[in-house]
Amino acid sequence: MITLITNIKELLQVRETAIDKVSGAEMAVLPTIKNAFLILKDNLIEDFGLMENLPKIKADKVIDATGRIVLPSWCDSHTHIVYAGNREQEFVDRINGFTYEEIANRGGGILNSAKKLNETSEEELYEQSKLRLEEVIHLGTGAVEIKSGYGLTVEGELKMLRVIKKLAQNYPIAIKATFLGAHAFPLHYKENKAGYIDEIINKMLPEIAQHQLADYIDVFCETGYFSVEETQKIIAAGIRFGLKPKIHVNQFNSIGGIQAGVRFKALSVDHLEIMNPEDIEALKNSETMPVALPSCSYFLSIPYTPAREMIQAGLPLALATDFNPGSTPSGNMNFVVATACIKMKMTPEEAINAATLNGAYAMGLSETHGSITKGKKANLILTKPISSYYQIPYAFGSNLIESVFIEGKIIV
Ligand code: NIG
Ligand code: FE
Protein backbone atom coordinates (compact mmCIF):
# COMPACT_ATOMS: atom_id res chain seq x y z
CA MET A 1 0.00 0.00 0.00
CA ILE A 2 1.52 3.30 -1.16
CA THR A 3 0.30 6.57 0.37
CA LEU A 4 1.44 9.83 -1.19
CA ILE A 5 1.11 13.11 0.73
CA THR A 6 1.53 16.11 -1.57
CA ASN A 7 1.89 19.90 -1.25
CA ILE A 8 2.99 19.74 2.39
CA LYS A 9 3.49 23.35 3.48
CA GLU A 10 6.44 22.27 5.62
CA LEU A 11 7.75 18.80 6.49
CA LEU A 12 9.48 18.94 9.90
CA GLN A 13 12.30 16.99 11.48
CA VAL A 14 13.74 15.67 8.22
CA ARG A 15 16.92 13.68 8.82
CA GLU A 16 18.40 12.24 5.65
CA THR A 17 20.81 10.13 7.65
CA ALA A 18 19.55 8.86 10.95
CA ILE A 19 20.99 10.44 14.08
CA ASP A 20 20.16 9.25 17.56
CA LYS A 21 19.85 12.58 19.42
CA VAL A 22 20.64 16.29 19.34
CA SER A 23 22.49 18.12 22.12
CA GLY A 24 23.32 21.71 23.10
CA ALA A 25 23.33 24.17 20.19
CA GLU A 26 22.22 21.43 17.74
CA MET A 27 18.87 21.41 19.51
CA ALA A 28 18.03 24.79 17.98
CA VAL A 29 18.23 23.33 14.47
CA LEU A 30 15.10 21.67 13.12
CA PRO A 31 15.67 20.59 9.51
CA THR A 32 12.59 21.04 7.32
CA ILE A 33 11.51 20.92 3.68
CA LYS A 34 9.01 23.54 2.48
CA ASN A 35 6.50 22.49 -0.21
CA ALA A 36 7.29 18.83 0.21
CA PHE A 37 5.98 15.41 -0.70
CA LEU A 38 6.12 12.33 1.50
CA ILE A 39 5.65 8.73 0.34
CA LEU A 40 4.67 5.97 2.77
CA LYS A 41 5.00 2.31 1.83
CA ASP A 42 2.93 0.09 4.13
CA ASN A 43 4.06 0.99 7.66
CA LEU A 44 7.28 2.82 6.75
CA ILE A 45 8.53 6.11 5.35
CA GLU A 46 9.61 5.39 1.78
CA ASP A 47 10.69 8.75 0.37
CA PHE A 48 10.33 12.52 0.69
CA GLY A 49 11.57 15.66 -1.00
CA LEU A 50 10.59 18.89 -2.73
CA MET A 51 7.32 18.82 -4.67
CA GLU A 52 9.24 19.81 -7.80
CA ASN A 53 11.19 16.56 -7.51
CA LEU A 54 8.15 14.34 -6.96
CA PRO A 55 8.84 11.07 -8.81
CA LYS A 56 6.17 9.52 -11.02
CA ILE A 57 4.57 6.86 -8.86
CA LYS A 58 1.31 4.98 -8.69
CA ALA A 59 -0.11 5.63 -5.23
CA ASP A 60 -3.05 3.76 -3.71
CA LYS A 61 -4.01 6.89 -1.80
CA VAL A 62 -3.13 10.56 -2.36
CA ILE A 63 -3.59 13.17 0.37
CA ASP A 64 -3.32 16.85 -0.54
CA ALA A 65 -1.74 18.61 2.46
CA THR A 66 -1.94 22.17 1.10
CA GLY A 67 -1.50 24.66 3.97
CA ARG A 68 -0.70 21.87 6.42
CA ILE A 69 2.44 20.79 8.25
CA VAL A 70 3.62 17.21 8.70
CA LEU A 71 5.91 16.09 11.51
CA PRO A 72 6.85 12.81 13.17
CA SER A 73 4.43 11.82 15.92
CA TRP A 74 5.38 12.65 19.51
CA CYS A 75 7.60 10.23 21.43
CA ASP A 76 6.44 10.27 25.06
CA SER A 77 9.23 8.55 26.99
CA HIS A 78 7.78 8.83 30.53
CA THR A 79 4.21 7.94 31.54
CA HIS A 80 2.23 6.09 34.18
CA ILE A 81 -0.84 5.59 31.96
CA VAL A 82 -1.84 2.34 33.67
CA TYR A 83 -3.60 3.27 36.92
CA ALA A 84 -6.93 2.76 38.63
CA GLY A 85 -9.47 5.45 39.48
CA ASN A 86 -8.16 8.96 39.96
CA ARG A 87 -6.98 11.38 42.67
CA GLU A 88 -9.26 14.34 42.05
CA GLN A 89 -9.92 14.75 45.79
CA GLU A 90 -6.17 15.34 46.37
CA PHE A 91 -6.28 17.94 43.59
CA VAL A 92 -8.96 19.85 45.48
CA ASP A 93 -7.06 19.36 48.77
CA ARG A 94 -4.05 21.03 47.17
CA ILE A 95 -6.19 23.93 45.99
CA ASN A 96 -7.24 24.26 49.63
CA GLY A 97 -3.62 24.60 50.76
CA PHE A 98 -2.20 21.11 51.39
CA THR A 99 1.09 20.28 49.68
CA TYR A 100 1.80 17.18 47.56
CA GLU A 101 4.16 16.08 50.34
CA GLU A 102 1.59 16.58 53.13
CA ILE A 103 -0.99 14.59 51.18
CA ALA A 104 1.52 11.75 50.60
CA ASN A 105 2.50 11.74 54.30
CA ARG A 106 -1.08 11.13 55.44
CA GLY A 107 -1.46 8.06 53.18
CA GLY A 108 -2.55 9.80 50.01
CA GLY A 109 -0.40 10.09 46.92
CA ILE A 110 1.18 6.99 45.43
CA LEU A 111 -0.15 4.79 48.28
CA ASN A 112 -3.69 5.98 47.55
CA SER A 113 -3.28 4.90 43.91
CA ALA A 114 -1.72 1.59 45.02
CA LYS A 115 -4.72 0.82 47.22
CA LYS A 116 -7.12 1.51 44.34
CA LEU A 117 -5.01 -0.54 41.92
CA ASN A 118 -4.86 -3.59 44.15
CA GLU A 119 -8.66 -3.46 44.53
CA THR A 120 -9.20 -3.30 40.75
CA SER A 121 -9.33 -6.39 38.52
CA GLU A 122 -6.84 -6.81 35.69
CA GLU A 123 -9.66 -6.58 33.13
CA GLU A 124 -11.02 -3.37 34.62
CA LEU A 125 -7.49 -1.89 34.83
CA TYR A 126 -7.00 -2.65 31.14
CA GLU A 127 -10.34 -1.04 30.23
CA GLN A 128 -9.51 2.15 32.17
CA SER A 129 -5.96 2.37 30.81
CA LYS A 130 -6.80 1.75 27.17
CA LEU A 131 -9.01 4.85 27.12
CA ARG A 132 -6.01 6.97 28.14
CA LEU A 133 -3.82 5.29 25.53
CA GLU A 134 -6.43 5.94 22.83
CA GLU A 135 -6.67 9.56 23.98
CA VAL A 136 -2.91 10.18 23.68
CA ILE A 137 -2.76 8.52 20.26
CA HIS A 138 -5.45 10.97 19.11
CA LEU A 139 -3.29 13.77 20.53
CA GLY A 140 -0.41 12.73 18.25
CA THR A 141 1.66 10.36 20.39
CA GLY A 142 3.12 7.54 18.29
CA ALA A 143 5.43 5.86 20.82
CA VAL A 144 5.09 5.71 24.57
CA GLU A 145 6.82 4.33 27.64
CA ILE A 146 4.55 3.10 30.45
CA LYS A 147 5.64 2.36 34.02
CA SER A 148 4.33 0.05 36.71
CA GLY A 149 4.66 1.36 40.29
CA TYR A 150 1.10 1.55 41.62
CA GLY A 151 1.03 -2.10 42.65
CA LEU A 152 3.80 -2.17 45.27
CA THR A 153 2.98 -5.87 45.80
CA VAL A 154 4.22 -8.78 43.71
CA GLU A 155 0.72 -9.38 42.34
CA GLY A 156 -0.06 -5.70 41.81
CA GLU A 157 3.17 -4.96 39.94
CA LEU A 158 2.82 -8.04 37.74
CA LYS A 159 -0.81 -7.12 37.03
CA MET A 160 0.25 -3.66 35.86
CA LEU A 161 3.01 -5.04 33.65
CA ARG A 162 0.65 -7.61 32.11
CA VAL A 163 -1.79 -4.80 31.30
CA ILE A 164 1.05 -2.84 29.63
CA LYS A 165 1.97 -5.94 27.63
CA LYS A 166 -1.64 -6.41 26.52
CA LEU A 167 -1.83 -2.75 25.44
CA ALA A 168 1.36 -3.25 23.43
CA GLN A 169 -0.17 -6.32 21.76
CA ASN A 170 -3.50 -4.67 20.96
CA TYR A 171 -2.44 -1.19 19.81
CA PRO A 172 -0.26 -0.32 16.83
CA ILE A 173 2.00 2.22 18.55
CA ALA A 174 5.36 1.27 20.07
CA ILE A 175 5.09 0.71 23.82
CA LYS A 176 8.05 0.23 26.17
CA ALA A 177 7.44 -1.15 29.67
CA THR A 178 9.28 0.00 32.78
CA PHE A 179 9.24 -1.75 36.15
CA LEU A 180 8.86 0.84 38.93
CA GLY A 181 8.27 -1.36 41.99
CA ALA A 182 10.48 1.14 43.83
CA HIS A 183 7.96 3.97 43.53
CA ALA A 184 7.15 4.19 47.25
CA PHE A 185 7.38 1.99 50.36
CA PRO A 186 4.05 0.24 51.08
CA LEU A 187 2.67 1.08 54.55
CA HIS A 188 3.37 -2.35 56.05
CA TYR A 189 7.05 -1.98 55.07
CA LYS A 190 7.43 1.55 56.50
CA GLU A 191 9.57 0.22 59.37
CA ASN A 192 11.23 -2.46 57.26
CA LYS A 193 12.51 -0.80 54.12
CA ALA A 194 15.13 -3.46 53.53
CA GLY A 195 12.30 -6.02 53.52
CA TYR A 196 10.51 -4.28 50.63
CA ILE A 197 13.74 -3.88 48.66
CA ASP A 198 14.35 -7.57 49.18
CA GLU A 199 10.88 -8.28 47.80
CA ILE A 200 11.59 -6.14 44.71
CA ILE A 201 14.92 -7.83 44.04
CA ASN A 202 14.16 -11.42 44.98
CA LYS A 203 10.45 -11.79 44.20
CA MET A 204 9.37 -9.21 41.63
CA LEU A 205 12.44 -9.02 39.38
CA PRO A 206 12.82 -12.78 38.77
CA GLU A 207 9.11 -13.09 37.79
CA ILE A 208 9.30 -10.04 35.54
CA ALA A 209 12.42 -11.33 33.81
CA GLN A 210 11.00 -14.82 33.42
CA HIS A 211 7.84 -13.55 31.73
CA GLN A 212 9.67 -10.76 29.83
CA LEU A 213 7.35 -8.12 31.21
CA ALA A 214 9.69 -5.09 31.25
CA ASP A 215 12.34 -3.33 29.19
CA TYR A 216 13.56 -0.89 31.85
CA ILE A 217 13.90 -0.47 35.61
CA ASP A 218 12.96 2.74 37.41
CA VAL A 219 13.30 4.00 41.01
CA PHE A 220 11.84 7.14 42.60
CA CYS A 221 15.13 8.44 44.04
CA GLU A 222 13.99 11.20 46.40
CA THR A 223 14.02 12.27 50.02
CA GLY A 224 11.29 10.26 51.79
CA TYR A 225 11.22 7.65 49.03
CA PHE A 226 14.36 5.74 47.91
CA SER A 227 17.83 6.94 48.95
CA VAL A 228 20.72 6.98 46.50
CA GLU A 229 22.13 3.87 48.15
CA GLU A 230 18.81 2.03 47.87
CA THR A 231 18.41 3.23 44.29
CA GLN A 232 21.83 1.87 43.34
CA LYS A 233 21.07 -1.49 44.90
CA ILE A 234 17.78 -1.79 43.00
CA ILE A 235 19.10 -0.66 39.62
CA ALA A 236 22.13 -2.92 39.93
CA ALA A 237 19.72 -5.83 40.48
CA GLY A 238 17.60 -4.68 37.52
CA ILE A 239 20.67 -4.65 35.30
CA ARG A 240 21.48 -8.21 36.38
CA PHE A 241 18.02 -9.16 35.09
CA GLY A 242 18.65 -7.38 31.78
CA LEU A 243 16.75 -4.14 32.50
CA LYS A 244 18.42 -0.82 31.70
CA PRO A 245 17.72 1.99 34.19
CA LYS A 246 15.51 5.03 33.56
CA ILE A 247 15.08 6.80 36.88
CA HIS A 248 13.04 9.50 38.67
CA VAL A 249 15.52 11.99 40.14
CA ASN A 250 15.73 15.59 41.38
CA GLN A 251 11.98 16.23 41.49
CA PHE A 252 12.05 17.94 44.90
CA ASN A 253 15.67 17.60 46.05
CA SER A 254 19.10 17.09 44.54
CA ILE A 255 20.47 14.12 46.46
CA GLY A 256 22.88 12.48 44.01
CA GLY A 257 20.44 10.46 41.90
CA ILE A 258 21.77 11.86 38.64
CA GLN A 259 25.33 10.86 39.46
CA ALA A 260 24.11 7.36 40.34
CA GLY A 261 22.16 7.17 37.08
CA VAL A 262 25.16 8.22 35.01
CA ARG A 263 27.41 5.70 36.84
CA PHE A 264 24.97 2.92 35.98
CA LYS A 265 24.66 4.16 32.36
CA ALA A 266 20.95 4.94 32.75
CA LEU A 267 19.16 5.50 29.46
CA SER A 268 17.50 8.55 31.00
CA VAL A 269 17.17 10.56 34.20
CA ASP A 270 13.76 12.18 34.50
CA HIS A 271 12.10 15.17 36.27
CA LEU A 272 15.15 17.38 37.04
CA GLU A 273 13.15 20.26 38.51
CA ILE A 274 15.91 20.91 41.07
CA MET A 275 19.33 21.00 39.43
CA ASN A 276 22.61 22.24 40.85
CA PRO A 277 25.81 22.84 38.83
CA GLU A 278 27.26 19.44 39.85
CA ASP A 279 24.16 17.71 38.46
CA ILE A 280 24.65 19.40 35.09
CA GLU A 281 28.35 18.60 35.17
CA ALA A 282 27.64 14.91 35.84
CA LEU A 283 25.50 14.64 32.70
CA LYS A 284 28.16 16.06 30.38
CA ASN A 285 29.73 13.49 28.07
CA SER A 286 27.36 10.78 29.25
CA GLU A 287 24.98 8.65 27.20
CA THR A 288 22.17 9.41 29.66
CA MET A 289 19.30 11.54 28.31
CA PRO A 290 17.92 14.17 30.69
CA VAL A 291 14.09 14.26 30.48
CA ALA A 292 11.95 17.22 31.57
CA LEU A 293 8.27 16.90 32.49
CA PRO A 294 6.87 20.42 32.33
CA SER A 295 3.20 19.55 32.75
CA CYS A 296 4.11 18.04 36.16
CA SER A 297 5.71 21.37 37.14
CA TYR A 298 2.60 23.13 35.89
CA PHE A 299 0.14 20.92 37.77
CA LEU A 300 2.06 20.87 41.08
CA SER A 301 3.33 24.47 40.86
CA ILE A 302 6.92 23.34 41.36
CA PRO A 303 9.98 24.70 39.50
CA TYR A 304 10.51 23.89 35.83
CA THR A 305 13.62 22.02 34.66
CA PRO A 306 16.27 24.67 33.86
CA ALA A 307 16.38 23.88 30.14
CA ARG A 308 18.36 26.96 29.13
CA GLU A 309 21.21 26.22 31.54
CA MET A 310 21.30 22.59 30.47
CA ILE A 311 21.28 23.30 26.73
CA GLN A 312 23.86 26.06 27.26
CA ALA A 313 26.06 23.45 28.94
CA GLY A 314 25.86 21.34 25.77
CA LEU A 315 23.41 18.75 27.10
CA PRO A 316 20.57 17.12 25.16
CA LEU A 317 17.05 17.32 26.60
CA ALA A 318 13.91 15.27 25.99
CA LEU A 319 10.33 16.23 26.88
CA ALA A 320 7.67 13.82 28.14
CA THR A 321 4.26 14.04 29.84
CA ASP A 322 4.60 11.98 33.06
CA PHE A 323 0.86 11.19 32.60
CA ASN A 324 -0.21 9.89 36.05
CA PRO A 325 -3.11 10.37 38.48
CA GLY A 326 -1.21 12.40 41.11
CA SER A 327 1.22 14.88 39.65
CA THR A 328 0.19 15.10 35.96
CA PRO A 329 -3.26 13.88 34.96
CA SER A 330 -2.63 14.78 31.32
CA GLY A 331 -0.94 12.98 28.45
CA ASN A 332 -1.03 15.86 26.01
CA MET A 333 2.38 16.22 24.33
CA ASN A 334 1.16 19.30 22.46
CA PHE A 335 0.67 21.00 25.82
CA VAL A 336 4.10 19.76 26.97
CA VAL A 337 5.76 21.31 23.90
CA ALA A 338 3.89 24.59 24.44
CA THR A 339 4.70 24.68 28.15
CA ALA A 340 8.38 24.01 27.45
CA CYS A 341 8.42 27.05 25.16
CA ILE A 342 6.32 29.29 27.39
CA LYS A 343 7.78 28.42 30.81
CA MET A 344 11.20 26.90 30.12
CA LYS A 345 12.07 29.31 27.30
CA MET A 346 12.86 26.55 24.85
CA THR A 347 12.49 27.63 21.23
CA PRO A 348 9.89 25.79 19.12
CA GLU A 349 12.77 24.03 17.30
CA GLU A 350 14.32 22.86 20.58
CA ALA A 351 10.99 21.72 21.99
CA ILE A 352 10.06 19.76 18.83
CA ASN A 353 13.49 18.09 18.79
CA ALA A 354 13.06 17.24 22.48
CA ALA A 355 9.59 15.75 21.95
CA THR A 356 10.47 13.65 18.90
CA LEU A 357 14.11 12.67 18.27
CA ASN A 358 15.35 12.94 21.85
CA GLY A 359 12.15 11.37 23.19
CA ALA A 360 12.72 8.35 20.93
CA TYR A 361 16.28 8.07 22.31
CA ALA A 362 14.97 8.12 25.89
CA MET A 363 13.02 4.92 25.24
CA GLY A 364 15.47 3.14 23.00
CA LEU A 365 13.53 3.79 19.78
CA SER A 366 16.02 5.95 17.86
CA GLU A 367 16.23 3.51 14.99
CA THR A 368 12.54 3.46 14.24
CA HIS A 369 10.93 6.65 15.57
CA GLY A 370 11.44 10.36 16.11
CA SER A 371 12.29 11.72 12.65
CA ILE A 372 11.31 11.77 8.99
CA THR A 373 13.94 9.32 7.77
CA LYS A 374 13.61 6.66 5.09
CA GLY A 375 12.87 3.29 6.66
CA LYS A 376 11.51 4.69 9.93
CA LYS A 377 7.91 4.03 11.01
CA ALA A 378 5.30 6.08 9.20
CA ASN A 379 4.02 7.60 12.45
CA LEU A 380 3.04 11.18 11.68
CA ILE A 381 1.03 14.19 12.66
CA LEU A 382 -0.72 16.12 9.86
CA THR A 383 -1.85 19.50 11.17
CA LYS A 384 -4.86 21.57 10.21
CA PRO A 385 -4.02 24.50 7.93
CA ILE A 386 -1.71 26.70 10.04
CA SER A 387 0.48 29.74 9.35
CA SER A 388 3.72 28.14 10.60
CA TYR A 389 4.96 25.52 13.06
CA TYR A 390 5.29 28.28 15.67
CA GLN A 391 1.51 27.83 16.04
CA ILE A 392 2.09 24.47 17.76
CA PRO A 393 3.37 26.07 20.99
CA TYR A 394 1.79 29.49 20.40
CA ALA A 395 -1.85 28.35 20.17
CA PHE A 396 -1.31 26.31 23.33
CA GLY A 397 -4.89 25.40 24.10
CA SER A 398 -6.03 24.58 20.58
CA ASN A 399 -6.08 21.21 18.91
CA LEU A 400 -4.18 21.79 15.66
CA ILE A 401 -4.12 18.13 14.62
CA GLU A 402 -6.14 17.10 11.59
CA SER A 403 -4.90 13.49 11.25
CA VAL A 404 -2.61 11.07 13.00
CA PHE A 405 -0.86 8.29 11.07
CA ILE A 406 0.35 5.21 12.90
CA GLU A 407 2.33 2.67 10.88
CA GLY A 408 1.11 4.33 7.69
CA LYS A 409 -2.60 4.13 8.60
CA ILE A 410 -4.77 7.13 9.41
CA ILE A 411 -6.05 6.74 12.98
CA VAL A 412 -7.82 10.09 13.35
O1 NIG B 1 6.59 11.06 38.21
N1 NIG B 1 7.43 11.30 41.23
C1 NIG B 1 7.04 10.16 41.29
N2 NIG B 1 6.07 9.59 40.61
C2 NIG B 1 5.11 10.26 39.78
C3 NIG B 1 3.91 10.73 40.51
C4 NIG B 1 3.35 9.77 41.41
C5 NIG B 1 2.00 10.09 41.92
O2 NIG B 1 1.76 11.13 42.57
O3 NIG B 1 1.14 9.23 41.73
C6 NIG B 1 5.76 11.38 39.03
O4 NIG B 1 5.46 12.57 39.24
FE1 FE C 1 6.89 9.86 36.69
Side-chain angles (χ1 to χ4, degrees), residues 78 80 147 248 271 293 322 324:
H78 181 140
H80 310 247
K147 301 174 193 295
H248 282 73
H271 270 288
L293 310 167
D322 199 18
N324 76 75

Side-chain angles (χ1 to χ4, degrees), residues 26 69 105 107 123 167 170 224 231 238 245 250 322 341 362 399 407 410:
E26 295 161 1
I69 283 171
N105 287 342
E123 291 69 33
L167 290 170
N170 292 351
T231 300
N250 293 48
D322 199 18
C341 295
N399 181 3
E407 301 242 345
I410 296 186

